[in-house]
Amino acid sequence: MKQTWMTALLMTALGLSACAEDFESFNTVSRLRVLAVQLDPPDVAPGEQAVATALVAGGTGDVTYEWSWCPLTAGSVNGYECLVTQEEFATALAFAGTGASLPAFDLGTDPQALFDYQMDGAALQALCALALQQQAPAFVALPSCDDRFVATLMLTVRDDEDEVTAVKELPLLFSADTGRNGNPSIGAVTFFNEAGIALEEITRSERVDVFADVPLTASESFIPAATNEVPDPVETREILFMTWFVTAGELAFTRTGYIDGETAFEDIQDNSWKVDDGDEATLYLVLQDERGGVVWKQIDVQVEGRP
Amino acid sequence: MRRVTLVTLVALSLAVAWSAAAQNAATAEKDSGEPSAEPVIVPPVLQQATAAVYPARAQEEGISASVVLEIDIDAEGNVEGVSVLTPATPPGYGFDEAAQEAAFSFVFSPATENGVPIPVRITYRYDFTLSAPEEKKPVAEISAADRSGQKKVVNFEGVLKERGTRLPLAGVTVTIFRGEGSVAVGYEALTDAEGKFSFYNLEPGDWMVLAESDGYYPLRTSDTVEKGRKTTVEYFIERGEYNAYDVTVEGEQLRKEVSKTTLDIEVVEKVPGTFGDVLTVVQNLPGVARTGPAAGNIVVRGSSPEDTLIFIEGVNVPIIYHFGGLRSVVPLGMLDSLDFYPGNFSSSFGRATGGIVDVRLKRLAPLKVGGYLDVNLADSGAYLEVPIGKKAAVAGAFRRSYIDAILNAAVPASAGVNLITAPRYYDYQLLGTVRPNEHHELTAFFFGSDDELKILFDNPANLSPDLTTAEGSTSTSFYRTLLQYRFAPFDNFNNTLKVSAGRNEIYVGAGDQVYLDLDTYVAQVYDRAAIGLGRNVTLATGIDYLFTKADAAIKFPALAKEGEPGGKPDLDTVQFTSEKDSITNALGTFLELEARLFDRWTVVPGVRFDWFSRVGQSTLAPRFNTRVDVTDQWTAKAGVGAYHKEPSFDETAEVFGNPDLGLEKAMHYSAGFEFRPLPFLTLDVTGFFKTMDDLVSRTDATTVRDGQTVPLNYVNGGEGRVVGLEVLLRHDLANNFTGWLSYTFSKAQRRDYGSSEWRNFDYDQPHILTLLGTYNLPRNWSIGFRFRVVSGSPTTPREGSVYSVDDAQYEPVFGKPNSVRLPVFHQLDVRLDKRWVFENWMLTAYMDVQNLYNSPNVTGYAYNYDSSQKRPRQGLPLLPIIGIKGEF
């Protein structure tokens, strides 16, 4: 156990992480990608509906969507295979009592999906307890069932060449009184040259600073769930991180972040970008909080200067 | 006139070509350790020789010949065995047989080490010649007093020492002479145990001085004796080879193991590609799989690394390497040798189902203050040893790395990482020995080690969105105190008691997000008593007790175990547990009989009882080893035994594992033979089969504990099987060469709980070939090489990925575990050493070049962000390392 982490730390220190190979960068969008999925609201209370929307980029031709959800998956190592069939789940719902209604696992093929949570929270909690009895493969965390049941939302998109599957947690609260989360927000995005002058266009092969105006309120205060390590948690600010994607050029950081007490809030807002090819480029900013809140912003820019 | 001449021997130092002229004094093989700590070895002296019968036909045909014999002499001076090292030329006349027969009746005065008789092996040349030898004109009178009857007045005295080490040289003839022809006069004196010699009543004037000894360059000088004054001199003569393994003591006890390899530290020091690290050299022996660079693991006969125990003089240590494999935590200066048991080890070892590596401390007996300073690219270390009277000695050592300074300079500012404490390690040792007489020996050893790394990330999110802290750190420190008392009141009884105590402090973590914080006190008592029951039977028994008291706070995700894809740990599975004053005990006792039957057949039945408090289980493990000396050259051997070990700490922890787990079991079976066609050449072939049961295996099941449904995590439901063949062709030092060829064929598989299929073990490497050697060149140069060809390890392929939106990264989807292999590994390492010998000290410079032809060995694959592309990840490129070491 120890050696694995020691090695990881050492490798990180030496800058030998796997990304160092000469692969295309994670944040360069050159083919079909799912960059983000937003749930609105990010956690769903009994009687509410949540709308799922995806930020899909880089596709060629027609892009198709296939939404689904699953109450218990086999985790990342096993490709998020759903461990419960629709029939088994229907039986479980019947166990929860009449009036319990959750959508079918298949959520449709539209660019957006609707999740309708029409069920008593207590009944879902009972179902959650039932899920605990299931055999969970290695590396799969069984649900805690404290104040919510976390299901999995899945999206598969296809274009003429590629297929991409994305998963996102789908928190189903047992009560609307539980502390709620909101999706964060991003303000204006501004480009500056070395002299600090704001730019409308960016110049080819010149590095520009990018400033994303993220309000401090994007990091909401909340009280984390009690654990055996911290039985009496205190209020804290959400951790935020922003993933920066571009269609061309190279960014200084793949991600920027804010960790209350560890890093400065300004750190999340600043990056720099240099584009060498093309006449136009797109910057996608995906801002996420640690409780599943997501927002994004897309900025298309003209690239001036001789190729 | 027919004459049979006994010309002596040249020990294995025969290898020293220039010494051909110096073949007039019997030289025993001697144990050499570090030059600075060499014990006083007095060679055996031929007391009674019987002339060989000159073969009649050879005599008729006027044929002369020489036979080089190898003679084993026991601690009483009796000849135990004689073999022909170099047969007579021409063959067929019976010279070999005649020489052997004569040698069997020789009687020697025994060789001694520090005054204690020891068994030795010497090389002896027996010349058969038909002509009378040339009469040697005496140039010396042994006793100068005989010539005049006058009062003895010493007027020329001195001391003879070895150049570089300043060790006194005993038993060397110093000749002083002058004049030529009929006026020539000369005298001889033998140096005493302190290297002193003296002449008396020498006439004033200039005298020539000659000192010659086997294995040394002759000293030729001149000095002046003045009337009425005493001339005092100090002479240094240089050894032909300062390679300490040019002579080897064969004083080992009765061999009883089926599979055991002993490596002398001097052999280890020059093996290329290992940086002189004793444990790294183990990886070149048969049965040991290749692990990655800096892995710090020893994988023996298809067993997981944690199944093999590594001891330092019987003491368990939490880490044996600094930072996972860079250097071992005890420097060579403190060590004597290493015993490696890949399987079928004796009942005196327990709590392991794989192999045993037992590193033994130097038997401290310095004759002078000595030490060394070792400087290389990774660290610097110093060692000092001091004799305290004639019966005690102390030694101390310290080493510190400076990788931190190098890395701080090398890591660019853009890396986004601040190395608050870059990888830094140090270790320290203090060793003391008191030997009041041959019956008692008390050794105290205090040693410890400290490794630390602290990192501050400028932008943690950029490294991983999982990171919710800006710092990461790891530290491992431990210390141990060992007291060892050996009591041997009679020839047929000895007892060794070892008591050790110490503390381990281990931390690894990233802020409050994940961490493992262990603070453990450890105490160990080991006692082994052996009593001889007659000439050929020994009964050994003992106890082996281990106590631990631990405070632990662990917040970690589920980590991949053997056979599971080694993906990134899922921080969603992080769990926390803490324990205070958690006490565990493990008690073992053993009984073992060693019997030598008919002078050819050794049987070693044994049994071991173990009790493990952590799992609340006890076991009785019978073991049996046997060896049969079919001829002087052929030995057959076989063994079978049962072995047990506890699951690892995390596997029995309530939150992370299953506290109801039981012991893991293994059965070892092995059989083979050893063939020694030449004294310096041994072929060892061993086939082995190992079954493993009740292996800890992952399960999906849940259980109810304290009224709550929780994952069961593990059960004792796994199985393992390993079958293989090991071949070791070992060439001890002869003709200036030492080395070995090691080949292992093996198939190691596991069957996980709930699976009907066998899969490859993580380190299943069907073919492992290692060719390794060191050649001693004149003038203290040596060159070594190591060439390895190894089957690629199994690996688990990736078959795609899923984008985890909440983590903003792709999670790989894995294929069948260990279903594909990495390409074959091959690599050549070379090492060049040069030693300069000065009067009072020596300087060694070395260059160790790893991967000389820059073989692009694949250690794994790197994948792009969504696992759709992969490229081989290559191991070490061509890597030269240089270092210097000064010894005094």
Side-chain angles (χ1 to χ4, degrees), chain B residues 34-38 162-167 362 366-374 381-387 396 835-844 885-888:
Chain B
E34 286 284 318
S36 56
E38 200 160 302
E162 184 176 272
R163 188 174 163 86
T165 66
R166 295 172 289 122
L167 285 171
K362 173 188 273 186
L367 298 172
K368 60 171 180 62
V369 174
Y372 66 71
L373 179 67
D374 188 1
Y383 170 81
L384 182 71
E385 59 184 21
V386 181
R835 177 169 287 182
W836 291 271
V837 182
F838 304 98
E839 206 152 84
N840 292 312
W841 68 292
M842 293 181 289
L843 178 69
T844 304
K885 183 178 179 181
E887 297 163 75
F888 65 98

Side-chain angles (χ1 to χ4, degrees), chain A residues 72-75 77-78 81-83 130-143, chain B residues 558 564-565 575 656-658 661 696-705 709-718 752-755:
Chain A
L72 188 64
T73 74
V77 170
N78 300 295
E81 177 192 353
C82 192
L83 296 173
L130 191 66
L132 280 176
Q133 314 299 322
Q134 299 295 311
Q135 292 197 345
F139 309 109
V140 174
L142 288 168
Chain B
E564 296 173 344
Q575 300 202 64
F656 297 94
N658 176 2
L661 286 178
V696 174
S697 187
R698 189 87 67 173
T699 176
D700 299 344
T702 57
T703 187
V704 177
R705 202 173 287 141
T709 302
V710 294
L712 190 56
N713 295 319
Y714 301 108
V715 289
N716 286 103
D752 299 318
Y753 174 67
S755 170

Side-chain angles (χ1 to χ4, degrees), chain A residues 216 219-222 234-240 257-265 290, chain B residues 460 467-470 512:
Chain A
L216 185 60
S219 171
E220 298 170 284
S221 295
F222 74 109
V234 296
E235 189 174 76
T236 183
R237 296 192 79 92
E238 285 176 324
I239 293 169
L240 299 178
Y258 164 64
I259 305 169
D260 188 24
E262 301 260 353
T263 62
F265 189 78
E290 67 175 294
Chain B
L467 268 179
T468 59
T469 177
D512 291 334

Side-chain angles (χ1 to χ4, degrees), chain B residues 81-250:
Chain B
V82 180
S83 56
V84 176
L85 187 59
T86 307
T89 305
Y93 284 89
F95 287 116
D96 299 347
E97 294 77 4
Q100 267 187 295
E101 186 179 342
F104 262 114
S105 60
F106 286 0
V107 176
F108 292 82
S109 66
T112 59
E113 178 184 2
N114 297 331
V116 178
I118 56 169
V120 294
R121 172 175 296 161
I122 66 168
T123 307
Y124 199 103
R125 196 179 76 207
Y126 205 119
D127 284 356
F128 292 82
T129 173
L130 289 166
S131 58
E134 185 182 341
E135 290 295 328
K136 185 178 177 184
K137 185 172 183 178
V139 295
E141 297 172 48
I142 297 303
S143 171
D146 293 344
R147 61 193 149 90
S148 62
Q150 59 186 308
K151 185 182 176 187
K152 297 177 184 175
V153 177
V154 173
N155 59 351
F156 190 100
E157 67 177 14
V159 60
L160 185 67
K161 295 180 177 177
E162 184 176 272
R163 188 174 163 86
T165 66
R166 295 172 289 122
L167 285 171
L169 293 172
V172 177
T173 301
V174 178
T175 306
I176 189 164
F177 61 97
R178 65 181 180 182
E180 293 181 357
S182 59
V183 296
V185 59
Y187 309 100
E188 285 182 353
L190 276 181
T191 56
D192 63 14
E194 295 175 338
K196 292 178 181 171
F197 62 89
S198 60
F199 295 93
Y200 46 87
N201 301 350
L202 292 179
E203 296 294 330
D206 292 336
W207 291 85
M208 304 297 293
V209 180
L210 172 67
E212 284 185 299
S213 182
D214 273 355
Y216 289 84
Y217 293 107
L219 169 81
R220 292 187 179 88
T221 186
S222 64
D223 262 301
T224 303
V225 175
E226 294 180 18
K227 186 175 184 181
R229 304 185 70 172
K230 182 164 72 177
T231 301
T232 303
V233 296
E234 188 177 31
Y235 294 139
F236 293 87
I237 61 173
E238 185 171 339
R239 224 195 301 173
E241 288 286 348
Y242 281 81
N243 189 334
Y245 51 88
D246 55 0
V247 283
T248 305
V249 164
E250 292 284 344

